[in-house]
Amino acid sequence: MRRFFRGDTNALNSYLSKCIFYSGMGSNDYLNNYFMPDFYTTGSDYTTKAYAAALLQDYSRQLTELYELGARKVVVTSVGQIGCIPYQLARFNGSGSGSGSQCNESINKAIILFNTGLRKLVDRFNNGQLPGAKFVYLDSFQNAKDLVLNAATYGFEVVDKGCCGVGKNNGQITCLPLQEPCDDRRKYIFWDAFHPTDVANIIMAKKSFSSKSQSYAYPINIQQLATL
């Protein structure tokens, strides 16, 4: 970018200050590390609280580096309900929270520790730690939770299985090449063992962009961030 602006640092900083930077981090630190004890020792090396703190310490440093490079409008997203994705449902037997949920709530509780800390980090950045910056926290955990609770309202019929996959919940093995998917992916929240469908993503994106509720975007939404 500096080459593009021919070394004009002021012009570059002015340009970067208008850009919106999006950072979605943390999911794989849990899904493909902490909760994979056969492959990694982090689950026994750290308590859930200590692991969240270690991740947030690294993340804070990385976001500060981004700020020092010129980023001023930054959107960070929480980790979603990993305990409720088909991949985990296929591996978990239990009644979850006792409210009819089949989710692995021990995973979700660990993630809430990280998400709570990330929101506090956003408050610190916005309250003077990074002067001139505006950070927005997207609560994809709450967003996804609401999507499942109000599935019928959005036209979803299947909330616990992937449209494409193998085995229990279509989540034991994720969608394979040349595999035939479900007939109508618009009725599914999940495309495969891990990821939402386009329809689900669009609904969650619209809430993050323009919702007036701080349950989805905090302290302002992305539309408001764009006008700053």
Side-chain angles (χ1 to χ4, degrees), residues 151-204:
T153 309
Y154 299 111
F156 295 117
E157 295 176 8
V158 185
V159 302
D160 58 352
K161 296 181 179 68
C163 167
C164 186
V166 178
K168 184 184 173 189
N169 296 86
N170 279 350
Q172 285 178 299
I173 301 173
T174 198
C175 192
L176 298 169
L178 307 180
Q179 187 181 348
E180 194 167 322
C182 62
D183 290 334
D184 188 355
R185 66 193 70 181
R186 292 170 300 179
K187 293 177 180 175
Y188 284 69
I189 286 180
F190 290 98
W191 160 249
D192 60 12
F194 305 98
H195 307 102
T197 53
D198 277 359
V199 175
N201 269 325
I202 288 166
I203 292 166
M204 290 190 286

Side-chain angles (χ1 to χ4, degrees), residues 13-34:
N13 287 341
S14 175
Y15 179 83
L16 291 175
S17 71
K18 297 181 180 73
C19 299
I20 292 179
F21 295 80
Y22 174 90
S23 178
M25 303 274 271
S27 294
N28 286 341
D29 294 293
Y30 285 98
L31 183 62
N32 294 327
N33 192 313
Y34 193 77

Side-chain angles (χ1 to χ4, degrees), residues 78 119 137-144 146 207 211-218:
S78 71
R119 181 168 158 147
Y137 169 82
L138 299 184
D139 195 338
S140 51
F141 189 100
Q142 187 62 43
N143 210 336
D146 289 351
K207 286 181 184 175
S211 173
K212 298 295 184 283
S213 169
Q214 289 189 336
S215 299
Y216 306 121
Y218 169 86

Side-chain angles (χ1 to χ4, degrees), residues 38-94:
D38 294 344
F39 297 92
Y40 301 99
T41 61
T42 42
S44 54
D45 294 341
Y46 294 89
T47 64
T48 52
K49 189 175 180 181
Y51 190 63
L55 292 181
L56 288 162
Q57 187 176 5
D58 282 348
Y59 203 6
S60 174
R61 178 178 48 78
Q62 291 160 341
L63 291 170
T64 301
E65 283 180 21
L66 196 65
Y67 169 84
E68 288 169 353
L69 287 167
R72 290 298 178 268
K73 299 181 182 184
V74 184
V75 177
V76 295
T77 183
S78 71
V79 175
Q81 286 194 107
I82 290 175
C84 300
I85 63 175
Y87 175 84
Q88 293 297 346
L89 296 179
R91 286 157 176 77
F92 180 69
N93 294 310

